[in-house]
Structures are given as structure tokens and as C-alpha cells.
Amino acid sequence: MLYFSLLLYGFAKDLSDDVKALGIAAEVIDMKDYDPDDRLADECSNKSVCVFLVATYTDGQPTENAEWFCKWLEEASTDFRYGKTYLRGLRYAVFGLGNSVYVGHYNTVGKDVDKWLWMLSGMRILTRGEGDCNVTKSRNGSVQADFQAWKVKFLSRLQDLAKGEKKSSTGSCKSGSGSCKSRTKRSQGQSEEEKAALHDNFESSSDEEESALPEESQSGSVVDVEDLGRIMNSVRKAKVRDGQMVKLSKVNGVKKIENEGERREMITPALREALTKQGYKLIGSHSGVKLCRWTKSMLRGRGGCYKHTFYGIESHRCMETTPSLACANKCVFCWRHHTNPVGTEWHWKMDPAEKILQDALEKHQNMIRQFRGVPGVKQERYEEGLAVKHCALSLVGEPIMYPEINAFLRLLHTHRISSFLVTNAQFPQEIRNLVPVTQLYVSVDASTKDSLKKIDRPLFRDFWPRFLDSLKALGEKRQRTVYRLTLVKAWNVEELQAYSDLIALGQPDFIEVKGVTYCGESSASSLTMANVPWHQEVVAFVQQLADMLPQYEIACEHEHSNCLLIAHTKFKVDGEWWTWIDYERFQELVEAHERSGGQRSFSALDYTARTPGWALFGAHEQGFDPADTRFQRRNKTKDISGC
């Protein structure tokens, strides 16, 4: 590794000197000192030319100083919140170092960086260069000679771009795994040579191989972290072949089959590979965990999610997971675009709750550890983040389908981790059978039978009676309950009276109203950006709805997530809202409940905490914690997803 680091720095310094000799300013920056979240977008607006010098180390991994940059770039390239055009305007070139002796990992990092930049609409100005430390296979006889040959072509290309451009150039180069940047202003016209160079095949490693689009584009593969709707057709076909239809038993039990060994695993090999590639950390055969973007945000002091604003969750200490990737709905706004298993009953192999929680905590902590030393991450929050305090059972799928969901919840509470469980209102008996949950959500995506069928597309034929009975079951719970309303413009925003009737049916403690998140095009959904309401439209809807509910008022707002909270007035004490949660008190209460065998119960009002002024509706902070610093991503359309 040391050899590669020194070698890369030498290459970067050499290239920087030659660029400066052309009268173009340049600088060398080590990637470990470079914050892509803050600076990459600037390279686009400044019309920079960036050269990334990257080495492939053990098992196809980047060198230590480039680990964070590569991880960030990979996630951004497949995250719909950044968008496919996030780096439009960035001109770049990549030179990778590797050793062809390692056939399976030769120049993997260089290829990946090239691919990820391309997926974000970066414009390649020169075919990727590759240096081979295996002198017997090196095209030019040595890795140094490979770099020199590529450098000559790059400098020639840079001169061509600089000709006739008015603005003088400045830039920077990164060593180890790095980039050399030269800011230039593109001329109005593009030569045929430029156009050809910008559409090089990222899999090509020679100057003669400049033709096809990326393999991902050809196969329709996934480009979103949450959205797996574009997984290649073979995955979808494999899912059908593997018979991934599930059925849930009546009382959180497994329907017995003659031979336990005949049960299929929920995640097929093809789906496992695709999910892993998209950032999901899979657990056993049917569970998963993933790092929420708000966890990353709060680690850096850039604000928490709406649950921090509404209920006092510490986002950097929250683990987002699910014990069941399966679901009984095929919602039009599904992040996964229905590549996960769907059905009505459980008949797969089942992993024990202890193993799921143990692996989830371990994988979550490992993801947090990757932020050690990352620019901007606060040390105290990094240390706190390693100790999980909250669990959001809302990653994907339907967690209540897991037959041992009660055992899983008890384990969370034994570890003094709060539980936030979301269910899709199709399993009323399972809701009734649930042990106490810190906060229990039911998704109320529509208020009429027709609109629910159109939006959620449930698998149950008796979906509407199940839906209504689920709301009644929620109303029987003594702990905190929430209706979660997702507004889809032109689909369900006109159903105020019907929503009011459903609220009267379940009498939830809280009602979260959120604008739908657009997760990209999908053959499985006709949803478009036109269906996403503006925050002002969500506010107007919530105000009208609250006026129709005599025992409810608007309590909180999280403008960034396009989300508001309506709360029952029993949480308003002496004119002050108490929507936050006393988490330590909840753990004491649930422990006493378990010791008494369920005889000693408790209610939502027994573990409330006062809501701070900045979180209230109407506050000028609009739900942003003043203890943090608001970060506006540059060169990007306003984010209204709130995910």
C-alpha cells in the first residue's frame, strides 16, 4: 500500500507540474482531505477538469486514503436523491493503477470510479488509463511508462479544451487516490472529437475502445440506492422462478410444512447480489439493515430527520432495519419498485430473532465506523453513533410479517433500544398480538377503497376490511400510535372528509402527513414528479384536515422532509406540546410490564417529554435543530423527498 501511495503522489505531482507548464493552474490534494459532499458540486459549476488517480489494493479495494471518497461516490451514483445529473458539468479523466497478476481485481477501483462519475452525468474527456505493475503484461513495459503514455494524451486533450476559452484555468490534483483539476469554460460548440471522448465506454481500457454505453445502461440496471426497480430482467425472472410468494399465518406463526428443509430462502442469490451492490447489508435469509442518510447528516452536525423534530430521536444513534423484506402491497411509490418478495403468508426459512438483532447491530456499527476520520464528522457524535439507541423497523417490506416479531421487539427493549414499527394496515390480528412498541405506525396511504387499491395495490382480496380492521386494532393499543399519511397529488389529496372518518375510527395519538417521494421512473408505477406536492400544498392540506378534527391540532413541522405532525390535544399540557419521548422512562415501563407478565400496563402519556420551541409548527426554524448547521447542497434541485 505504501508503494502505491508514494507512486500515486509522484504521478500526481508530475502531472500537476506539466499542467502548470501549459499555463493552467493546478493543485494536488490527497483524497482523505477532500469532502466530496461539499466540493464535487462546485467542480461542476466551476467547469473544472478533474483527473482521478486511483490505485486498487487488496481484494479489489481502494487504498485507505481513498476509502471514504469511493464509498461516497458509489452511494451517490445510485441514490435518487442526488439524481442522475448531479455531476453534470464536471469534466473528468481517470487513471488507475493495478496489477494484472490479480485477474479478478485488476484495476477495479479505477473502473468503478470511472463508472460512478459517468452514472452521475460526469463528462469523460479521455478514455480511462490503466497502469500495470506486472511488467510482463504492461502495455508500455512498466507502470511508469503506462502513465507517461496516458499523460501525453491527457495534456494534448487539455490543450484542445483550453483553446479559445476566455476564463483562465485553476485546479487541483489529488494524490494516492486523487484528482487533478483544471477549471476551464467550455466553448459553445463541441467538436466531434469531444463528443466521442465524452461517450467513451467506461469498461474500455484502451484508446481504441470508445464506443458502447455502460453495461448498466444497456441492461437497465439499478441506479438508485433505495430504488431497485431497474434490476436486470433476469433478476425479476429469477424471482418468479424461485416462487417468492409468501403467506403469513393467522397469529404470527409459521404455517407448517412436511419437510422444514424444503422451505426456500426469501432472498435468492441474484437478488442478494443486487441488494448488496445497492448498499443493503443483508442478514440471514430475509432481513436487512441500511444506514439512513439522516444518520450520516447528524453525524456531521447537519440536522436530523423528522423523527428527531417530532419525537426527539437522535438520528445518529438510530438503526434502520427490517426482519422481513417481504410485503403484501405493491405501492406505486415503493422505493424498491417491487423487486422484493410479495405475498400474504410466511412460508420461508426463518432466522431466529437473536441472530437478526446481533447481526443488525454489528453491521450497523461497522457502517458507522467507516465515518471515523471523515471530514466534518463530529467525534462525540461518532462515538455516540456506535451505541444504537433507536430502531426504525421501516426500512423496506412488512416487518410485522416476521413470525417472531414479538421476540425481536423484546430483544430491542432488553438492549434498551426504542422501537418504531411501521405496518401497512393489512394484518389486523398481528397488530393486536403485538407487545408494547415505543411507537406503532400504520400507513394510511388512501382513505377510500378505490384510491387504496390504486395507490397501495394490495395483494389481499379483502384488503379494505383488513385495512379498516387494522385501524380499529391500532385504536385498541395503549402505547403511542401514529397514522402515516402519504400525499400523492391528483390521487388522494382531495379526500379530506374520508381521511377525517378514518381518523375517528382509529383515534391515533399522532398523524404524520408527508408529501410522496418520487423514486424515479419504473415500469411498475405511473408516478411522476407531477404527483409530488410542494411543501406549501402539504401545509394547506394539513390545515384543512386539522380544522375537521376537534381533538387534534398541528404541533410540529419538518420542512426539509415535506412533513407535518398533527397531534391529539391530550399531548398539549398548559399550552405546551409534549410530543417528544422520554426514552429512559419507556424502558422502565416496558421492563415492569414484562416482569409482571403483561399485567402492569402503561399508556402513551406515561412517557412523554416536552417539545422544544424550534420543533413547533410556525417556528422560524421550520423543524431544523438550531444546535446543528443547515447544509444546502449546491448545484442540485431542491430536495423535497424528506427520506
Side-chain angles (χ1 to χ4, degrees), residues 58 84 187 198 208 243 286 342 420 539 598 620 625:
T58 306
K84 300 177 187 177
S187 56
L198 297 181
E208 290 75 30
H286 53 74
V342 292
F420 286 70
V539 170
H620 74 275
D625 190 340

Side-chain angles (χ1 to χ4, degrees), residues 307-320:
K307 290 194 290 293
H308 172 62
T309 299
F310 296 172
Y311 316 118
I313 270 188
E314 297 170 285
S315 301
H316 62 300
R317 303 186 67 181
C318 182
M319 176 177 69
E320 191 169 20

Side-chain angles (χ1 to χ4, degrees), residues 166-179:
K166 299 176 182 179
K167 190 173 183 179
S168 62
S169 301
T170 59
S172 66
C173 294
K174 299 174 190 173
S175 67
S177 294
S179 79

Side-chain angles (χ1 to χ4, degrees), residues 260-294:
E260 288 285 322
E262 293 180 0
R263 286 185 186 166
R264 299 183 181 92
E265 290 193 355
M266 181 184 293
I267 309 172
T268 63
L271 186 56
R272 180 177 295 276
E273 180 181 357
L275 286 165
T276 301
K277 183 179 179 181
Q278 298 310 309
Y280 290 87
K281 306 300 180 184
L282 300 180
I283 302 164
S285 62
H286 53 74
S287 308
V289 63
K290 193 173 183 299
L291 209 60
C292 174
R293 77 179 182 99
W294 288 109

Side-chain angles (χ1 to χ4, degrees), residues 59-120:
D59 296 329
Q61 298 301 309
T63 51
E64 185 177 356
N65 64 329
E67 284 180 355
W68 167 247
F69 179 88
C70 290
K71 178 177 176 58
W72 182 93
L73 191 62
E74 179 183 15
E75 292 188 353
S77 70
T78 55
D79 191 335
F80 70 85
R81 300 182 188 96
Y82 284 88
K84 300 177 187 177
T85 61
Y86 182 65
L87 294 183
R88 177 171 290 170
L90 172 72
R91 291 177 292 179
Y92 75 92
V94 175
F95 183 84
L97 274 70
N99 193 321
S100 58
V101 169
Y102 304 101
V103 178
H105 303 300
Y106 175 58
N107 255 309
T108 300
V109 176
K111 294 173 183 176
D112 285 343
V113 169
D114 191 18
K115 175 181 67 175
W116 297 328
L117 291 167
W118 188 92
M119 291 171 67
L120 289 167

Side-chain angles (χ1 to χ4, degrees), residues 1-12 30 55 63-65 97 175-177:
M1 178 182 134
L2 182 61
Y3 169 71
F4 280 115
S5 295
L6 290 175
L7 188 58
L8 281 164
Y9 175 76
F11 285 171
D30 194 319
T63 51
E64 185 177 356
N65 64 329
L97 274 70
S175 67
S177 294

Side-chain angles (χ1 to χ4, degrees), residues 69-255:
F69 179 88
C70 290
K71 178 177 176 58
W72 182 93
L73 191 62
E74 179 183 15
E75 292 188 353
S77 70
T78 55
D79 191 335
F80 70 85
R81 300 182 188 96
Y82 284 88
K84 300 177 187 177
T85 61
Y86 182 65
L87 294 183
R88 177 171 290 170
L90 172 72
R91 291 177 292 179
Y92 75 92
V94 175
F95 183 84
L97 274 70
N99 193 321
S100 58
V101 169
Y102 304 101
V103 178
H105 303 300
Y106 175 58
N107 255 309
T108 300
V109 176
K111 294 173 183 176
D112 285 343
V113 169
D114 191 18
K115 175 181 67 175
W116 297 328
L117 291 167
W118 188 92
M119 291 171 67
L120 289 167
S121 295
M123 298 177 291
R124 186 188 300 107
I125 67 168
L126 187 68
T127 305
R128 184 183 69 252
E130 293 185 350
D132 192 349
C133 293
N134 181 5
V135 295
T136 61
K137 293 291 184 70
S138 170
R139 180 173 299 181
N140 298 285
S142 70
V143 67
Q144 290 86 355
D146 291 338
F147 177 72
Q148 291 299 322
W150 180 84
K151 184 182 72 169
V152 168
K153 295 173 183 177
F154 171 75
L155 293 174
S156 175
R157 182 75 180 125
L158 191 61
Q159 284 180 296
D160 290 340
L161 290 174
K163 284 180 181 178
E165 296 181 349
K166 299 176 182 179
K167 190 173 183 179
S168 62
S169 301
T170 59
S172 66
C173 294
K174 299 174 190 173
S175 67
S177 294
S179 79
C180 172
K181 303 183 305 189
S182 173
R183 294 178 190 165
T184 58
K185 197 169 185 178
R186 283 187 297 170
S187 56
Q188 293 298 318
Q190 273 188 325
S191 66
E192 290 303 313
E193 181 186 359
E194 264 188 281
K195 293 177 182 178
L198 297 181
H199 291 85
D200 291 340
N201 179 5
F202 67 77
E203 290 295 338
S204 170
S205 62
S206 70
D207 296 322
E208 290 75 30
E209 297 170 345
E210 300 181 357
S211 55
L213 289 173
E215 183 180 344
E216 281 82 351
S217 178
Q218 293 171 342
S219 64
S221 68
V222 183
V223 294
D224 289 342
V225 172
E226 320 309 327
D227 173 15
L228 298 180
R230 300 174 194 172
I231 292 179
M232 47 195 157
N233 290 333
S234 61
V235 175
R236 185 164 290 163
K237 292 176 182 177
K239 183 180 76 171
V240 175
R241 287 197 303 270
D242 292 342
Q244 288 185 344
M245 296 299 290
V246 297
K247 294 188 176 182
L248 183 69
S249 66
K250 295 297 183 183
V251 191
N252 273 337
V254 178
K255 188 177 181 179

Side-chain angles (χ1 to χ4, degrees), residues 15-36:
L15 182 59
S16 175
D17 291 343
D18 287 346
V19 169
K20 291 176 182 177
L22 297 176
I24 300 173
E27 63 175 313
V28 177
I29 302 177
D30 194 319
M31 248 182 206
K32 67 179 173 56
D33 300 322
Y34 187 85
D35 189 340

